[in-house]
Amino acid sequence: MDFPQNMSMEEAFAQAEAEAKLNQALSESKARFENAVLPNRLNEDWRFGRPHKYATALAELLRSDKPSQGEAKVEHAGEAAVPVSADDDDLRRTEMLMPTIGSDALLGMHLERFGSGYALYIEEDTKKPIRIEYTTTGLFTSSTFIMVAPGVTAEVVEIHRGEGDTACMFATRNIQVAEGAKLKILHHSAHMERYMCITNIQNMGGQVVQLTRHDTHDWAREETVAEIYAPESDIQLYSSNLPRNGVLDLHTKQIHHAGGATSNLLYKNVVYEGATAIFAGNIFVAPGAHHTDAYQSNRNMLLSEKATVHSLPGLEILADKVRCSHGSASSGVDEQQLFYLLSRGIPREEAIGLLAYGFEKDVIEKYERA
Amino acid sequence: MSLIIKDLSARVKDGAQILNGINLEIPKGEVHAIMGPNGSGKSTLSKVLCGHPDYEVISGTAELDGQDLFAMSVDERSRAGLFLAFQYPVEVPGVTNANFMRAALQARLPKGEELDAVSFYKTMRAKMAALGMDTKFTARAVNEGFSGGEKKRNDILQMMMLEPSYAILDETDSGLDVDALRIVSDGVNAMRAPFRSFLVITHYKRLLDYIKPDVVHVLYKGRIVRTAGYEIVEHIEQNGFDFLKAEE
């Protein structure tokens, strides 16, 4: 091993150890992709998610020689944005190491197509929200990386949009937030026949507030793994959706590796006739991560007897001194509220729209206030 | 032009029959009051007229200016000119008072016509001031976290905004302190007009001291058993409803 001149023995050993760890993680990660099988009925993380239909269809597209078709744009980023390229080993490694919720095989296929998107190295407060927009008419795989430097306050808007009837997008997003940094991210996806997004948040003592909204997809799956690595970290995950048809499949993990930190999740769906919404969330508190405050809530409003909701909140706590709670509530439209609106002459469809908007509103307000 | 109810019987959906053949005619320009002991069917009558889904009409008819009320949906009845001030106004989280009223007024405009937002807010603020309501209430969710009195005022505000031809006030006085009662009553009195009628449901004389009715009906066991002038209010205030039992 070569020791650089300006490095002490101790530092050199630490660096060597870090490199060894990284190499091991990478080789394990490689094995994970090699051994991964496509999501199937036996995969608990795809429960109710019809993997034989949707995961298989996405895999077929990713394996095909269909070229990536789409556009990536970034605005208000100044010097912070760099287009990602397949040659960037650091970013590639980051994506290789990102956790999924039952979709390693699909992530492996995404890696094979690595190469579209932006990396944001945010080292100054953003004056206007940085806006990233990916648009596709066919198949598009995107990778976004957001790194926020210590003490920096940033806001990012990420839009994923399909055009035409057969748009398919598979996006990944890796977020790293340093100590004292604050990131607000608004993520909106719309109009896709197939849509999947895997997000990994690594919080080293800052704050991350994320709001996701997925509109008018035939099938959409979100996997968000939010990890806390340092005390004083705060993660707030919000989602507000109004699926009108198809399947909306939402999966989250709030992982507290370190104690003395907080995470909060509120996912709300208004589910129209013929649509299915799935929420599966888990709070994991690692051994020794004491003084963790973690909450998780999924609420659904069903607008028809033909609307379907599956809600699977979960907790896994391996530390003693924690405050955690999780909950789920699903119901139809409140008949008394609806009657009140109708009794003032508001037509039924509009009244239901107002109630649905009202139901979702507090999620959006929580994001705006954060 | 009247609200005419003929031989109306109704029950709680899949439950007990509450109204047993009500006959009532409220001509335009008049204020009628309905009094009666607890459980006599006063609130049921108001809800049945507005089309509440918890109740079903067994027989009878109701006409609003010649239109068959029961053939209309709840929202159509409102747009046809019927208004109910609720005994317990409902909280609607996430929907602001302003958006609520805008949607209700917009629904009354011909297709393609847009509500003028500036004059809407101007009107709403003026009517709120008349009712002693803080204009901050425009941006608050409908009745959410409101006190009992604030909810009642909010219902009266809605009535003043929608300017119905027939307004039913279901125990609007309950939960109001003396000052609020006077303000709300002033609001109602200001709306009295030859082209508008009121049906005031109450247990107490004090509301009818402010809103003087032209006719008073007594409802008992789902039927109108007396129709008289204001003098019966005094009688009920002093003697209660025992005279009804004695007549059974």
Side-chain angles (χ1 to χ4, degrees):
Chain A
M1 190 192 299
D2 295 327
F3 292 158
Q5 298 287 322
N6 56 353
M7 199 182 268
S8 72
M9 193 77 129
E10 236 169 43
E11 282 171 335
F13 274 125
Q15 189 183 331
E17 200 183 341
E19 263 173 39
K21 265 190 185 166
L22 180 64
N23 283 334
Q24 173 157 5
L26 287 169
S27 93
E28 279 169 11
S29 182
K30 227 173 178 177
R32 142 174 107 122
F33 295 124
E34 279 164 10
N35 298 329
V37 289
L38 271 178
N40 57 55
R41 285 171 205 272
L42 300 174
N43 188 331
E44 191 61 22
D45 290 322
W46 279 76
R47 203 169 164 198
F48 305 116
R50 301 180 210 167
H52 53 287
K53 183 173 178 189
Y54 297 113
T56 308
L58 179 62
E60 265 171 28
L61 266 175
L62 292 168
R63 278 177 182 146
S64 72
D65 51 11
K66 201 172 180 184
S68 257
Q69 231 182 333
E71 200 188 332
K73 269 198 319 195
V74 66
E75 284 174 358
H76 314 304
E79 307 271 288
V82 178
V84 299
S85 89
D87 305 330
D88 193 324
D89 289 340
D90 277 347
L91 297 182
R92 224 179 138 74
R93 266 203 297 268
T94 302
E95 190 163 302
M96 271 186 89
L97 293 172
M98 75 185 294
T100 74
I101 305 178
S103 301
D104 283 358
L106 293 169
L107 178 62
M109 291 175 200
H110 187 279
L111 272 160
E112 294 292 314
R113 286 180 167 262
F114 188 89
S116 301
Y118 284 97
L120 303 177
Y121 299 93
I122 307 175
E123 292 175 343
E124 285 175 9
D125 291 358
T126 54
K127 290 180 185 71
K128 267 187 180 173
I130 297 176
R131 184 184 165 94
I132 295 177
E133 190 168 338
Y134 303 134
T135 315
T136 183
T137 51
L139 171 65
F140 194 72
T141 53
S142 71
S143 304
T144 302
F145 299 87
I146 303 170
M147 273 71 75
V148 189
V152 170
T153 297
E155 209 170 333
V156 174
V157 175
E158 189 168 343
I159 310 286
H160 298 166
R161 202 175 59 234
E163 285 171 0
D165 297 332
T166 56
C168 170
M169 192 178 289
F170 183 8
T172 64
R173 178 166 53 234
N174 279 278
I175 295 170
Q176 290 172 7
V177 169
E179 189 179 353
K182 186 178 172 184
L183 172 68
K184 272 179 92 169
I185 177 153
L186 173 66
H187 168 206
H188 183 211
S189 73
H191 309 309
M192 235 83 71
E193 187 187 17
R194 298 188 179 90
Y195 175 74
M196 181 156 175
C197 183
I198 302 177
T199 298
N200 180 217
I201 298 168
Q202 298 190 349
N203 190 340
M204 320 291 182
Q207 185 190 51
V208 179
V209 183
Q210 174 175 278
L211 173 63
T212 64
R213 187 179 184 100
H214 308 292
D215 275 335
T216 55
H217 300 300
D218 291 342
W219 172 72
R221 181 173 168 102
E222 174 194 320
E223 295 180 15
T224 296
V225 181
E227 298 181 274
I228 281 170
Y229 284 100
E232 310 287 322
S233 296
D234 177 44
I235 293 182
Q236 298 173 34
L237 301 175
Y238 302 115
S239 192
S240 157
N241 305 289
L242 298 97
R244 287 175 183 270
N245 53 31
V247 173
L248 176 67
D249 197 5
L250 305 168
H251 296 256
T252 63
K253 278 190 181 173
Q254 296 152 260
I255 303 178
H256 287 251
H257 298 289
T262 53
S263 71
N264 190 11
L265 176 146
L266 176 62
Y267 273 41
K268 278 190 170 186
N269 301 312
V270 174
V271 188
Y272 284 79
E273 180 170 336
T276 297
I278 302 159
F279 170 81
N282 187 258
I283 296 175
F284 177 82
V285 183
H290 301 303
H291 306 294
T292 287
D293 253 317
Y295 301 93
Q296 178 198 78
S297 173
N298 170 228
R299 293 189 60 200
N300 301 292
M301 179 189 273
L302 291 92
L303 296 188
S304 152
E305 285 180 7
K306 289 180 187 157
T308 307
V309 161
H310 301 283
S311 186
L312 307 155
L315 289 178
E316 203 176 335
I317 301 169
L318 305 176
D320 304 325
K321 299 167 198 156
V322 300
R323 274 202 303 193
C324 290
S325 74
H326 65 325
S328 165
S330 301
S331 61
V333 174
D334 185 303
E335 287 297 329
Q336 301 304 326
Q337 290 174 5
L338 180 60
F339 177 69
Y340 196 63
L341 266 58
L342 294 174
S343 78
R344 299 310 183 231
I346 300 171
R348 191 176 182 85
E349 202 172 320
E350 204 177 318
I352 288 173
L354 274 174
L355 293 176
Y357 172 75
F359 179 77
E360 296 281 321
K361 196 179 171 198
D362 70 328
V363 179
I364 292 151
E365 281 179 349
K366 278 191 166 80
Y367 174 80
E368 283 171 350
R369 273 200 303 267
Chain B
M1 295 299 243
S2 310
L3 172 62
I4 302 168
I5 301 162
K6 278 189 188 154
D7 209 21
L8 175 62
S9 294
R11 65 178 165 221
V12 179
K13 207 156 244 177
D14 305 320
Q17 183 168 338
I18 312 283
L19 304 181
N20 298 302
I22 294 213
N23 288 291
L24 193 63
E25 181 171 350
I26 306 171
K28 279 257 169 82
E30 291 189 4
V31 174
H32 288 222
I34 289 194
M35 301 184 82
N38 288 327
S40 57
K42 303 187 297 296
S43 288
T44 299
L45 174 63
S46 66
K47 284 178 177 165
V48 167
L49 291 176
C50 291
H52 195 286
D54 288 353
Y55 300 89
E56 56 190 0
V57 174
I58 303 167
S59 60
T61 59
E63 276 184 10
L64 192 82
D65 295 341
Q67 298 178 80
D68 179 359
L69 201 59
F70 297 147
M72 290 188 248
S73 62
V74 178
D75 52 314
E76 284 169 347
R77 295 180 203 197
S78 167
R79 294 196 298 274
L82 186 65
F83 181 88
L84 170 65
F86 282 52
Q87 186 178 358
Y88 304 108
V90 180
E91 296 191 8
V92 191
V95 178
T96 63
N97 264 324
N99 284 346
F100 179 41
M101 274 300 96
R102 277 181 78 160
L105 287 167
Q106 179 68 49
R108 286 160 166 78
L109 295 178
K111 234 183 185 150
E113 201 174 305
E114 278 291 316
L115 191 71
D116 178 0
V118 176
S119 73
F120 162 76
Y121 278 107
K122 204 174 158 192
T123 308
M124 186 150 170
R125 278 197 295 269
K127 295 195 191 279
M128 288 174 100
L131 285 168
M133 289 174 79
D134 192 324
T135 48
K136 283 185 192 139
F137 279 79
T138 48
R140 280 184 60 181
V142 176
N143 295 329
E144 195 182 36
F146 287 23
S147 71
E150 285 166 346
K151 285 179 182 171
K152 293 295 177 83
R153 279 189 214 214
N154 204 25
D155 256 30
I156 298 303
L157 171 70
Q158 290 161 27
M159 180 177 78
M160 292 167 82
M161 292 296 290
L162 300 178
E163 300 182 334
S165 321
Y166 297 92
I168 304 170
L169 310 182
D170 188 3
E171 295 194 27
T172 293
D173 50 335
S174 70
L176 288 185
D177 62 33
V178 182
D179 294 330
L181 183 68
R182 185 177 43 76
I183 291 166
V184 164
S185 304
D186 287 349
V188 173
N189 285 331
M191 285 186 72
R192 288 177 81 149
F195 50 82
R196 183 172 291 130
S197 315
F198 291 87
L199 181 61
V200 182
I201 295 171
T202 184
H203 281 287
Y204 303 107
K205 175 174 170 287
R206 58 173 198 166
L207 179 65
L208 302 178
D209 285 341
Y210 286 108
I211 307 169
K212 280 266 167 21
D214 300 301
V215 182
V216 180
H217 308 277
V218 179
L219 190 66
Y220 184 59
K221 294 194 173 176
R223 299 181 65 203
I224 303 280
V225 292
R226 278 277 206 297
T227 294
Y230 182 75
E231 67 284 354
I232 198 167
V233 178
E234 301 273 4
H235 179 79
I236 291 168
E237 183 77 3
Q238 283 166 23
N239 306 301
F241 291 107
D242 282 351
F243 70 98
L244 296 171
K245 288 175 196 157
E247 288 172 7
E248 268 188 282

